Amino acid sequence: MNIATTFLALGLLGAVSFAHAAPNCTIALEGSDQMQFNLKTVTVSASCASISIELVHTGKLPVAAMGHNVVISKTADMASIASAGMKAGAAAGYVLKGDPTIVATTEMIGGGAKTSTKFAGSKLVAGGDYTFFCSFPGHSALMKGTVIVTK
Ligand code: CO
């Protein structure tokens, strides 16, 4: 096999593995007592029938002091969702129920807890500008990241 053939073979191999790559349908995040998520970017596919959000709070502080959730929205909607959530208050988990600009949200949890939820991939548009964040008052300044949506 000469060099050109080898490159051609590698190229075909790459194309095949890309075409057959399973879409990512899970967003797994950890939130800490240092008010941080463990990831700055997550990637999911809009073709997923169902996308799971799995959140683990790795800290020890109670939900009233260091609550974390995962809200997904268009980046442009993050500030208004966080503001409305703050007004909704602790009993509402700092999420305004029925807010149409929220794509998905988990419940608010404290240290040592975990939670998960599911939503349809069809609620996302491939290539759109989306953010994940925690809506606990003040947390979205640090606890946020990019949601990359593939086809
Ligand atoms: Co938080």
Side-chain angles (χ1 to χ4, degrees):
M1 193 181 276
N2 63 31
I3 287 175
T5 313
T6 305
F7 272 99
L8 179 64
L10 286 173
L12 287 172
L13 206 63
V16 168
S17 63
F18 181 78
H20 287 197
N24 185 39
C25 300
T26 301
I27 295 171
L29 287 163
E30 293 177 1
S32 71
D33 279 347
Q34 285 71 48
M35 204 196 296
Q36 295 197 330
F37 283 124
N38 63 322
L39 298 174
K40 291 290 181 195
T41 303
V42 298
T43 302
V44 288
S45 169
S47 69
C48 297
S50 177
I51 294 173
S52 296
I53 306 174
E54 298 168 358
L55 172 64
V56 176
H57 192 318
T58 58
K60 292 181 176 168
L61 294 170
V63 64
M66 187 56 70
H68 299 322
N69 65 0
V70 176
V71 179
I72 292 176
S73 73
K74 288 179 181 168
T75 299
D77 295 329
M78 180 182 78
S80 60
I81 291 169
S83 175
M86 203 181 317
K87 286 184 191 132
Y94 298 110
V95 171
L96 177 62
K97 195 173 179 182
D99 184 335
T101 63
I102 293 175
V103 173
T105 181
T106 69
E107 66 176 327
M108 185 74 66
I109 58 172
K114 58 184 176 182
T115 187
S116 65
T117 190
K118 291 175 187 284
F119 67 101
S122 59
K123 293 181 80 173
L124 298 169
V125 176
D129 185 358
Y130 297 95
T131 292
F132 70 86
F133 62 97
C134 172
S135 70
F136 192 97
H139 285 201
S140 62
L142 281 175
M143 299 189 77
K144 65 180 173 185
T146 303
V147 181
I148 296 172
V149 182
T150 60
K151 284 185 182 173

